Coordinates of all heavy atoms in Angstrom, one line a residue:
D1 N 18.4 21.2 1.8 CA 17.7 22.3 1.3 C 16.5 21.9 0.5 O 15.6 22.6 0.2 CB 18.5 23.2 0.3 CG 19.7 23.8 1.1 OD1 19.6 24.1 2.3 OD2 20.7 24.2 0.5
L2 N 16.3 20.6 0.2 CA 15.3 20.1 -0.6 C 14.1 19.7 0.3 O 12.8 19.8 -0.2 CB 15.6 19.0 -1.5 CG 16.6 19.2 -2.6 CD1 17.0 18.0 -3.3 CD2 16.1 20.3 -3.5
L3 N 14.3 19.2 1.5 CA 13.2 18.7 2.3 C 12.6 19.8 3.2 O 13.4 20.4 4.1 CB 13.7 17.5 3.2 CG 12.7 16.8 4.0 CD1 11.6 16.2 3.2 CD2 13.5 15.7 4.8
V4 N 11.4 20.0 3.1 CA 10.7 21.0 3.9 C 10.0 20.3 5.2 O 10.2 20.7 6.3 CB 9.6 21.7 3.1 CG1 8.8 22.7 4.0 CG2 10.2 22.5 2.0
T5 N 9.2 19.2 4.9 CA 8.6 18.5 6.0 C 8.5 17.0 5.6 O 8.6 16.6 4.4 CB 7.1 18.9 6.2 OG1 6.3 18.7 5.1 CG2 7.0 20.4 6.6
A6 N 8.3 16.2 6.6 CA 8.2 14.7 6.3 C 7.1 14.2 7.4 O 7.1 14.5 8.5 CB 9.4 14.0 6.6
E7 N 6.1 13.5 6.9 CA 5.0 12.9 7.6 C 4.8 11.6 7.1 O 5.0 11.2 6.0 CB 3.7 13.8 7.5 CG 3.8 15.2 8.0 CD 2.5 15.9 7.9 OE1 1.5 15.3 8.4 OE2 2.5 17.0 7.3
W8 N 4.4 10.7 8.0 CA 4.2 9.3 7.7 C 3.0 8.6 8.3 O 2.6 9.0 9.4 CB 5.5 8.4 7.9 CG 6.0 8.5 9.4 CD1 5.6 7.6 10.4 CD2 6.8 9.5 10.0 NE1 6.2 7.9 11.6 CE2 6.9 9.2 11.3 CE3 7.4 10.6 9.6 CZ2 7.7 9.9 12.3 CZ3 8.2 11.3 10.5 CH2 8.3 10.9 11.7
A9 N 2.6 7.6 7.7 CA 1.5 6.8 8.2 C 1.7 5.3 7.7 O 1.9 5.2 6.5 CB 0.1 7.2 7.7
G10 N 2.0 4.5 8.7 CA 2.3 3.1 8.3 C 3.6 3.0 7.4 O 4.6 3.5 7.9
Q11 N 3.4 2.5 6.3 CA 4.6 2.3 5.4 C 4.7 3.3 4.3 O 5.4 3.1 3.3 CB 4.5 0.8 4.8 CG 4.6 -0.3 5.8 CD 4.2 -1.6 5.3 OE1 3.3 -2.2 5.9 NE2 4.8 -2.1 4.3
Q12 N 4.0 4.4 4.5 CA 4.1 5.5 3.5 C 4.7 6.8 4.2 O 4.2 7.2 5.3 CB 2.6 5.8 3.0 CG 2.1 4.6 2.3 CD 0.6 4.9 1.8 OE1 0.2 6.0 1.9 NE2 0.0 3.9 1.4
L13 N 5.6 7.3 3.5 CA 6.3 8.5 4.0 C 6.0 9.6 2.9 O 6.3 9.4 1.7 CB 7.7 8.2 4.1 CG 8.7 9.4 4.5 CD1 8.3 10.1 5.8 CD2 10.1 8.9 4.4
V14 N 5.5 10.7 3.3 CA 5.2 11.9 2.4 C 6.2 13.0 2.7 O 6.3 13.5 3.8 CB 3.8 12.4 2.6 CG1 3.5 13.6 1.7 CG2 2.8 11.3 2.3
L15 N 7.0 13.3 1.7 CA 8.1 14.3 1.9 C 7.6 15.6 1.0 O 7.1 15.4 -0.1 CB 9.4 13.8 1.3 CG 9.9 12.5 1.8 CD1 11.2 12.2 1.1 CD2 10.1 12.6 3.3
R16 N 7.7 16.7 1.6 CA 7.3 18.0 1.0 C 8.6 18.7 0.7 O 9.5 18.8 1.5 CB 6.4 18.8 1.8 CG 5.1 18.2 2.2 CD 4.2 18.2 1.0 NE 2.9 17.7 1.5 CZ 1.8 17.6 0.8 NH1 1.9 17.9 -0.4 NH2 0.7 17.0 1.3
T17 N 8.6 19.3 -0.6 CA 9.8 20.0 -1.0 C 9.3 21.5 -1.5 O 8.1 21.6 -1.7 CB 10.5 19.3 -2.2 OG1 9.6 19.4 -3.3 CG2 10.8 17.9 -1.9
P18 N 10.3 22.3 -1.9 CA 9.9 23.5 -2.5 C 9.3 23.1 -3.9 O 9.7 22.1 -4.4 CB 11.2 24.3 -2.7 CG 12.1 23.8 -1.5 CD 11.7 22.3 -1.4
A19 N 8.6 24.0 -4.6 CA 8.0 23.8 -5.8 C 9.1 23.3 -6.8 O 10.2 24.0 -6.9 CB 7.3 25.0 -6.4
G20 N 8.9 22.3 -7.6 CA 9.8 21.8 -8.6 C 11.0 20.9 -8.1 O 11.8 20.4 -8.9
A21 N 11.1 20.6 -6.9 CA 12.2 19.9 -6.3 C 12.0 18.5 -5.9 O 12.9 17.8 -5.6 CB 12.8 20.6 -5.1
A22 N 10.7 18.0 -6.1 CA 10.4 16.6 -5.6 C 11.1 15.6 -6.4 O 11.5 14.6 -5.8 CB 8.9 16.5 -5.7
Q23 N 11.2 15.8 -7.8 CA 11.9 14.7 -8.5 C 13.3 14.6 -8.2 O 14.0 13.5 -8.2 CB 11.7 15.0 -10.0 CG 10.2 14.7 -10.4 CD 9.9 14.7 -11.8 OE1 10.9 14.7 -12.6 NE2 8.7 14.8 -12.2
L24 N 14.0 15.7 -7.9 CA 15.4 15.7 -7.4 C 15.6 15.0 -6.1 O 16.5 14.1 -6.0 CB 15.9 17.1 -7.4 CG 17.4 17.2 -7.0 CD1 18.3 16.5 -8.0 CD2 17.8 18.7 -7.0
L25 N 14.7 15.2 -5.2 CA 14.7 14.5 -3.8 C 14.4 13.0 -4.0 O 15.2 12.2 -3.4 CB 13.8 15.1 -2.9 CG 13.8 14.5 -1.5 CD1 15.1 14.6 -0.8 CD2 12.8 15.2 -0.5
A26 N 13.4 12.7 -4.8 CA 13.1 11.3 -5.0 C 14.3 10.6 -5.7 O 14.6 9.4 -5.3 CB 11.9 11.2 -5.9
S27 N 14.9 11.2 -6.6 CA 16.1 10.6 -7.3 C 17.2 10.3 -6.2 O 17.9 9.2 -6.3 CB 16.6 11.5 -8.4 OG 17.7 10.9 -9.0
A28 N 17.4 11.3 -5.4 CA 18.4 11.1 -4.3 C 18.1 10.0 -3.4 O 19.0 9.2 -3.0 CB 18.6 12.5 -3.6
V29 N 16.8 9.9 -3.0 CA 16.4 8.8 -2.1 C 16.7 7.4 -2.8 O 17.2 6.5 -2.3 CB 15.0 9.0 -1.6 CG1 14.4 7.7 -0.9 CG2 14.8 10.2 -0.7
D30 N 16.3 7.4 -4.1 CA 16.4 6.2 -4.9 C 17.9 5.8 -5.0 O 18.3 4.7 -4.8 CB 15.8 6.3 -6.3 CG 14.3 6.2 -6.3 OD1 13.7 5.6 -5.3 OD2 13.7 6.6 -7.2
D31 N 18.7 6.7 -5.3 CA 20.2 6.6 -5.5 C 20.8 6.1 -4.2 O 21.8 5.4 -4.2 CB 20.9 7.8 -6.0 CG 20.6 8.1 -7.4 OD1 20.0 7.2 -8.2 OD2 20.8 9.2 -7.9
A32 N 20.3 6.5 -3.0 CA 20.9 6.2 -1.7 C 20.6 4.7 -1.4 O 21.3 4.2 -0.6 CB 20.3 7.1 -0.6
M33 N 19.7 4.1 -2.1 CA 19.4 2.7 -1.9 C 19.3 2.3 -0.4 O 20.0 1.4 0.1 CB 20.4 1.8 -2.5 CG 20.4 2.0 -4.1 SD 21.7 1.1 -5.0 CE 21.9 -0.5 -4.3
L34 N 18.4 3.1 0.3 CA 18.2 2.9 1.7 C 17.6 1.5 1.9 O 16.6 1.2 1.3 CB 17.3 4.0 2.3 CG 18.0 5.4 2.2 CD1 16.9 6.4 2.5 CD2 19.2 5.6 3.0
P35 N 18.1 0.7 2.9 CA 17.5 -0.6 3.2 C 16.0 -0.5 3.5 O 15.6 0.4 4.4 CB 18.3 -1.1 4.3 CG 19.5 -0.3 4.3 CD 19.2 1.0 3.8
G36 N 15.1 -1.2 2.9 CA 13.8 -1.3 3.2 C 12.9 -0.3 2.4 O 11.7 -0.3 2.5
V37 N 13.6 0.5 1.6 CA 12.8 1.5 0.8 C 12.5 0.7 -0.5 O 13.4 0.3 -1.2 CB 13.5 2.8 0.5 CG1 12.8 3.6 -0.5 CG2 13.7 3.5 1.9
L38 N 11.2 0.6 -0.9 CA 10.8 0.0 -2.1 C 10.9 0.9 -3.3 O 11.1 0.5 -4.4 CB 9.4 -0.7 -1.9 CG 9.3 -1.7 -0.8 CD1 7.8 -2.1 -0.7 CD2 10.1 -2.9 -1.1
G39 N 10.6 2.2 -3.1 CA 10.6 3.1 -4.1 C 9.9 4.4 -3.8 O 9.4 4.6 -2.7
C40 N 10.0 5.3 -4.8 CA 9.5 6.7 -4.7 C 8.6 7.0 -5.9 O 8.8 6.6 -6.9 CB 10.6 7.8 -4.6 SG 11.7 7.5 -3.2
I41 N 7.6 7.9 -5.6 CA 6.8 8.6 -6.7 C 6.9 10.0 -6.4 O 6.6 10.5 -5.3 CB 5.3 8.0 -6.6 CG1 5.3 6.6 -6.9 CG2 4.5 8.8 -7.6 CD1 3.9 5.9 -6.6
A42 N 7.2 10.8 -7.4 CA 7.5 12.2 -7.2 C 6.5 13.1 -8.0 O 6.2 12.7 -9.2 CB 8.9 12.6 -7.6
G43 N 5.9 14.1 -7.5 CA 5.2 15.1 -8.2 C 6.0 16.4 -8.4 O 7.2 16.2 -8.5
D44 N 5.3 17.5 -8.2 CA 6.0 18.7 -8.3 C 6.7 19.1 -7.0 O 7.9 19.5 -6.9 CB 5.1 19.8 -8.7 CG 5.8 21.2 -8.8 OD1 6.8 21.2 -9.6 OD2 5.4 22.2 -8.1
D45 N 6.0 19.0 -5.8 CA 6.6 19.4 -4.6 C 6.3 18.3 -3.5 O 6.4 18.6 -2.3 CB 6.0 20.7 -4.1 CG 4.4 20.6 -3.9 OD1 3.8 19.6 -4.2 OD2 3.9 21.6 -3.4
T46 N 5.9 17.1 -3.9 CA 5.7 16.0 -3.0 C 6.3 14.7 -3.5 O 6.2 14.4 -4.6 CB 4.2 15.8 -2.8 OG1 3.6 17.0 -2.5 CG2 3.8 14.8 -1.8
V47 N 6.8 14.0 -2.6 CA 7.4 12.7 -2.8 C 6.7 11.6 -2.0 O 6.6 11.9 -0.7 CB 8.9 12.6 -2.5 CG1 9.6 11.2 -2.8 CG2 9.7 13.7 -3.4
L48 N 6.3 10.6 -2.5 CA 5.7 9.4 -1.7 C 6.8 8.4 -1.7 O 7.2 7.9 -2.8 CB 4.4 8.9 -2.3 CG 3.8 7.7 -1.7 CD1 3.4 7.9 -0.2 CD2 2.6 7.2 -2.5
V49 N 7.2 7.9 -0.5 CA 8.2 6.9 -0.4 C 7.5 5.7 0.3 O 6.8 5.9 1.3 CB 9.3 7.3 0.6 CG1 10.4 6.2 0.7 CG2 10.0 8.6 0.1
I50 N 7.5 4.6 -0.4 CA 6.9 3.4 0.2 C 8.0 2.5 0.8 O 9.0 2.3 0.1 CB 6.2 2.5 -1.0 CG1 5.2 3.5 -1.7 CG2 5.5 1.3 -0.4 CD1 4.1 4.0 -0.9
T51 N 7.9 1.9 1.9 CA 8.8 1.2 2.6 C 8.2 -0.3 3.0 O 7.1 -0.5 2.9 CB 9.3 1.7 4.0 OG1 8.2 1.9 4.9 CG2 9.9 3.1 3.7
R52 N 9.1 -1.2 3.4 CA 8.7 -2.6 3.7 C 7.9 -2.7 5.0 O 7.0 -3.4 5.2 CB 9.9 -3.5 3.7 CG 10.5 -3.7 2.4 CD 11.5 -4.9 2.4 NE 12.1 -5.0 1.1 CZ 11.6 -5.6 0.1 NH1 10.4 -6.2 0.2 NH2 12.2 -5.8 -1.0
T53 N 8.4 -1.8 6.0 CA 7.8 -1.9 7.3 C 7.6 -0.5 7.9 O 8.2 0.5 7.5 CB 8.6 -2.7 8.3 OG1 9.8 -2.0 8.6 CG2 9.0 -4.1 7.8
Q54 N 6.7 -0.4 8.9 CA 6.6 1.0 9.6 C 7.8 1.4 10.3 O 8.1 2.6 10.3 CB 5.4 0.8 10.6 CG 5.0 2.2 11.2 CD 3.7 2.0 12.0 OE1 3.1 1.0 11.9 NE2 3.5 3.1 12.8
D55 N 8.7 0.4 10.8 CA 9.9 0.8 11.4 C 10.8 1.4 10.4 O 11.5 2.4 10.8 CB 10.6 -0.4 12.1 CG 9.8 -0.9 13.3 OD1 9.1 -0.1 14.0 OD2 10.0 -2.1 13.7
V56 N 10.9 0.9 9.3 CA 11.7 1.5 8.2 C 11.3 2.9 7.9 O 12.1 3.8 7.7 CB 11.7 0.7 6.9 CG1 12.4 1.3 5.8 CG2 12.4 -0.7 7.2
T57 N 9.9 3.1 7.8 CA 9.4 4.3 7.6 C 9.9 5.5 8.5 O 10.4 6.5 8.2 CB 7.8 4.4 7.5 OG1 7.4 3.4 6.6 CG2 7.3 5.7 7.0
T58 N 9.7 5.2 9.8 CA 10.2 6.1 10.9 C 11.7 6.3 10.8 O 12.1 7.4 11.0 CB 9.7 5.7 12.3 OG1 10.2 4.4 12.5 CG2 8.2 5.7 12.4
D59 N 12.5 5.3 10.6 CA 13.9 5.4 10.5 C 14.3 6.3 9.3 O 15.2 7.2 9.4 CB 14.6 4.1 10.4 CG 14.5 3.2 11.6 OD1 14.2 3.8 12.7 OD2 14.9 2.0 11.5
V60 N 13.7 6.1 8.1 CA 14.1 6.9 7.0 C 13.6 8.4 7.2 O 14.4 9.3 6.9 CB 13.4 6.3 5.7 CG1 13.5 7.3 4.5 CG2 14.0 5.0 5.3
A61 N 12.5 8.5 7.8 CA 12.0 9.9 8.0 C 13.0 10.6 8.9 O 13.4 11.8 8.7 CB 10.6 9.9 8.6
A62 N 13.4 10.0 10.1 CA 14.4 10.5 11.0 C 15.6 10.9 10.3 O 16.3 11.9 10.5 CB 14.6 9.7 12.2
H63 N 16.1 9.9 9.5 CA 17.4 10.1 8.7 C 17.4 11.3 7.8 O 18.3 12.2 7.8 CB 17.8 8.9 8.0 CG 19.0 8.9 7.2 ND1 20.2 8.9 7.7 CD2 19.1 9.0 5.9 CE1 21.1 9.0 6.8 NE2 20.5 9.0 5.6
L64 N 16.3 11.4 7.1 CA 16.2 12.5 6.1 C 16.0 13.9 6.8 O 16.6 14.9 6.4 CB 15.0 12.3 5.1 CG 15.3 11.1 4.1 CD1 14.0 10.8 3.3 CD2 16.5 11.3 3.2
L65 N 15.2 13.9 7.9 CA 15.0 15.1 8.6 C 16.3 15.6 9.3 O 16.6 16.8 9.3 CB 13.9 14.9 9.6 CG 12.5 14.9 9.0 CD1 11.5 14.4 10.2 CD2 12.1 16.3 8.6
A66 N 17.1 14.6 9.8 CA 18.4 15.0 10.3 C 19.4 15.6 9.2 O 20.1 16.5 9.5 CB 19.0 13.8 11.0
L67 N 19.3 15.0 8.0 CA 20.2 15.5 7.0 C 19.7 16.9 6.6 O 20.5 17.7 6.2 CB 20.0 14.6 5.7 CG 20.8 13.3 5.9 CD1 20.5 12.4 4.6 CD2 22.3 13.5 6.1
A68 N 18.4 17.2 6.6 CA 17.8 18.5 6.2 C 18.0 19.5 7.3 O 17.8 20.8 7.0 CB 16.3 18.3 5.9
D69 N 18.3 19.2 8.5 CA 18.4 20.1 9.6 C 19.8 20.8 9.6 O 20.8 20.1 9.9 CB 18.1 19.5 11.0 CG 18.2 20.4 12.1 OD1 18.3 21.6 11.9 OD2 18.2 19.8 13.3
P70 N 19.9 22.1 9.3 CA 21.3 22.7 9.2 C 22.0 22.6 10.6 O 23.2 22.5 10.6 CB 20.9 24.2 8.9 CG 19.6 24.1 8.3 CD 18.8 22.9 9.0
A71 N 21.2 22.6 11.7 CA 21.9 22.5 13.0 C 22.5 21.1 13.2 O 23.5 21.0 14.0 CB 20.9 22.8 14.1
A72 N 22.0 20.1 12.6 CA 22.5 18.8 12.7 C 23.9 18.5 12.0 O 24.6 17.7 12.2 CB 21.6 17.7 12.2
R73 N 24.2 19.5 11.1 CA 25.4 19.4 10.3 C 26.7 19.9 11.1 O 27.8 19.7 10.7 CB 25.3 20.2 9.0 CG 24.3 19.7 8.1 CD 24.1 20.5 6.9 NE 22.9 20.2 6.2 CZ 22.2 21.0 5.4 NH1 22.8 22.1 5.0 NH2 21.0 20.7 4.8
H74 N 26.5 20.5 12.1 CA 27.6 21.1 12.9 C 28.1 20.2 14.0 O 27.5 19.4 14.5 CB 27.2 22.5 13.5 CG 26.8 23.5 12.6 ND1 27.7 24.0 11.6 CD2 25.6 24.1 12.3 CE1 27.0 24.9 10.9 NE2 25.7 24.9 11.3

């Protein structure tokens, strides 16, 4: 319910959330300790995730989008 969109370029992943939810999502990404994720910076409705490689970026984006998709939960 927190992730609205995810876009990436290179080793940077930009996650959009509803207003006020970015810090909660960034904390969840940090707590998940996903391999290759160096860290997150959160604003009000945007999270910047920095990864080690572009492959990690696309993998993390796909993983988070799958978790955010209600159809994928069934």
Side-chain angles (χ1 to χ4, degrees):
D1 294 334
L2 295 178
L3 182 60
V4 176
T5 64
E7 296 184 52
W8 57 94
Q11 294 166 241
Q12 299 179 7
L13 173 60
V14 177
L15 307 175
R16 300 283 184 178
T17 71
Q23 291 190 13
L24 183 58
L25 180 58
S27 179
V29 171
D30 284 339
D31 288 347
M33 296 176 38
L34 300 169
V37 172
L38 299 175
C40 300
I41 299 171
D44 181 58
D45 64 353
T46 305
V47 178
L48 174 63
V49 181
I50 306 296
T51 66
R52 290 192 185 279
T53 68
Q54 187 171 346
D55 289 340
V56 171
T57 306
T58 56
D59 289 348
V60 169
H63 177 71
L64 293 175
L65 287 168
L67 290 174
D69 182 8
R73 296 179 197 158
H74 299 295

